[in-house]
Amino acid sequence: MKARIVTLPGDYIGPEITAQAVKALEAVAAKYGHEFLFDERRLGGASIDAYGVPLTEETLAACNEADAVLMGSVGGPKWDGVEAARRPEKGLLALRKGMGVFANLRPCTIHPQLSSACPLRPELLKEPIDILILRELTGDIYFGRRWRAEDGRSATDEMAYSAMEVERLARKGFEMAGKRRGRLCSVDKANVLECSRLWRETVERLSGEYPDVEVTYMYVDNAAMQLILHPAQFDVMITGNLFGDILSDESAAIAGSLGMMPSASLGSGTRGLYEPIHGSAPDIAGRDIANPLGTILSGALLLRHSLGLEKEAAALERAVERVLDEGYRTADILSPGMKKVGCTQMGDLVAARI
Ligand code: IPM
Ligand code: MG
């Protein structure tokens, strides 16, 4: 098949890791006879430097015309002085909103080769951990109004959700749970927040339509604790934008390294935005030591969810497993006796195993 993929390498380690994912996708295309056309654009700080804004209308339009978008990472100290409305992160938020990708899939599994990197006691890992965090991505306190009082001494950020926003996310959660182990945990703070009460009511209303899915409700504080105490209890978790941001970083700690974690952001069609969940890691940028596997695995999600290439997605995921089986590790996941490699070399190893 022919597919157009916009790449947005972004800032600091972003270009290094994105290049490895492109390399892996090119290897997939060569092996399986596809033609992927990559169109590289700027986002975040790189866009501020070139055009004065973190996301241009032209870039957004290109993303909305592509089959899929692959992103690296944005932001960093270079743009710390930039006013709030033009920060690099604003470009990413505007991109998510502008592409209408309201459902952010953040899978958390423990690669058996990396189980020593998991900070939990081994007995907690006896049952397999395979969690899909489904984070709402275009609403919540991320997109509400925010302002500072004139005297500068108080500030407000509005949290807002509509039933429609909750419903479309929840439906994806029910559908995905139905294809997995049939368990959906809805995470909110309904004992305090009105948005959460609307969230819970909406999920309760929909649950009757999905009799095969068992729904549970959990307050976010308890969910944060349960993730550590008994992670194997979770199948699909649905939650709002802010809670999902926090819980997905927590799940990354369980998985051993933020550097391993991919994500897919989907809207109502197949077009999606794919990015690792980690940030731009300014402290290690330009040294070719970053872990590209989160971005490479995001490429696998791109093949699966936007291009419908399941076989190819699985082949890419298998290539990553093989490289780990063979003992290759970037610095963040290194353990005694393993072979330390850099970012480019890790990309080469994966590409060669497709
Ligand atoms: C993430 C990041 C972003 C978010 C930042 C960079 C705006 O933390 O993708 O999890 O908060 O959504
Ligand atoms: Mg985050």
Side-chain angles (χ1 to χ4, degrees):
M1 78 178 291
K2 270 193 187 175
R4 287 198 39 221
I5 301 171
V6 167
T7 61
L8 302 167
D11 308 322
Y12 289 98
I13 62 165
E16 304 167 37
I17 55 177
T18 306
Q20 307 317 313
V22 168
K23 195 190 295 173
L25 289 172
E26 274 170 344
V28 168
K31 165 99 189 246
Y32 293 91
H34 302 301
E35 199 180 316
F36 299 155
L37 203 76
F38 293 97
D39 175 10
E40 186 178 310
R41 307 271 172 153
R42 292 175 210 258
L43 178 73
S47 178
I48 295 176
D49 289 351
Y51 317 116
V53 289
L55 172 70
T56 65
E57 277 176 24
E58 205 191 331
T59 300
L60 176 59
C63 293
N64 275 326
E65 279 154 26
D67 295 298
V69 178
L70 179 70
M71 199 203 99
S73 54
V74 293
K78 183 172 176 207
W79 303 280
D80 272 351
V82 173
E83 91 237 36
R86 285 195 316 125
R87 282 184 64 90
E89 292 81 0
K90 268 276 171 181
L92 174 57
L93 298 184
L95 177 68
R96 290 169 175 172
K97 191 84 168 175
M99 287 183 69
V101 287
F102 58 84
N104 182 218
L105 285 63
R106 297 194 161 186
C108 168
T109 47
I110 300 195
H111 299 265
Q113 307 90 335
L114 302 181
S115 56
S116 67
C118 172
L120 300 184
R121 287 198 311 272
E123 60 261 37
L124 292 173
L125 307 179
K126 279 193 195 123
E127 290 169 82
I129 291 174
D130 179 8
I131 308 171
L132 177 63
I133 296 182
L134 195 56
R135 167 191 179 193
E136 199 289 328
L137 202 59
T138 54
D140 203 348
I141 199 163
Y142 271 66
F143 292 92
R145 288 181 300 164
R146 52 187 107 255
W147 66 92
R148 185 73 78 94
E150 252 164 48
D151 66 2
R153 297 184 53 79
S154 70
T156 308
D157 293 275
E158 275 183 0
M159 175 181 280
Y161 262 124
S162 70
M164 179 278 288
E165 288 173 309
V166 179
E167 177 166 341
R168 63 185 182 180
L169 188 276
R171 284 197 185 280
K172 278 216 193 292
F174 278 108
E175 284 158 20
M176 288 176 183
K179 290 188 200 137
R180 290 167 48 104
R181 303 193 301 284
R183 295 212 310 273
L184 183 72
C185 179
S186 177
V187 177
D188 61 39
K189 188 70 188 171
N191 50 347
V192 177
L193 302 173
E194 201 53 38
C195 283
S196 285
R197 286 192 272 270
L198 173 69
W199 182 284
R200 195 174 279 219
E201 273 164 33
T202 307
V203 177
E204 277 168 349
R205 174 165 58 75
L206 295 175
S207 61
E209 294 179 40
Y210 303 89
D212 297 337
V213 176
E214 179 202 333
V215 195
T216 52
Y217 301 89
M218 217 179 254
Y219 296 138
V220 63
D221 47 352
N222 184 31
M225 184 174 75
Q226 293 297 330
L227 263 178
I228 299 290
L229 292 180
H230 186 195
Q233 71 182 285
F234 295 110
D235 179 10
V236 177
M237 300 174 93
I238 51 171
T239 192
N241 205 344
L242 181 63
F243 298 157
D245 180 44
I246 299 166
L247 293 177
S248 61
D249 266 33
E250 187 185 357
S251 77
I254 294 172
S257 170
L258 205 50
M260 296 297 301
M261 308 292 282
S263 87
S265 303
L266 300 169
S268 42
T270 58
R271 181 179 304 117
L273 168 65
Y274 299 84
E275 45 171 315
I277 84 164
H278 62 72
S280 63
D283 52 326
I284 59 164
R287 291 163 54 198
D288 197 29
I289 59 169
N291 184 348
L293 295 179
T295 319
I296 291 176
L297 290 169
S298 299
L301 295 180
L302 182 158
L303 295 168
R304 177 172 296 129
H305 295 288
S306 283
L307 308 186
L309 299 174
E310 175 57 38
K311 182 168 46 104
E312 289 81 343
L316 182 46
E317 286 165 346
R318 254 195 330 273
V320 170
E321 294 303 322
R322 272 187 60 194
V323 170
L324 294 175
D325 281 339
E326 290 166 35
Y328 296 105
R329 302 283 187 273
T330 44
D332 58 316
I333 50 173
L334 189 64
S335 58
M338 297 293 130
K339 293 171 263 194
K340 187 170 171 180
V341 295
C343 180
T344 308
Q345 202 186 344
M346 187 57 110
D348 289 341
L349 286 163
V350 173
R353 277 155 190 74
I354 285 162

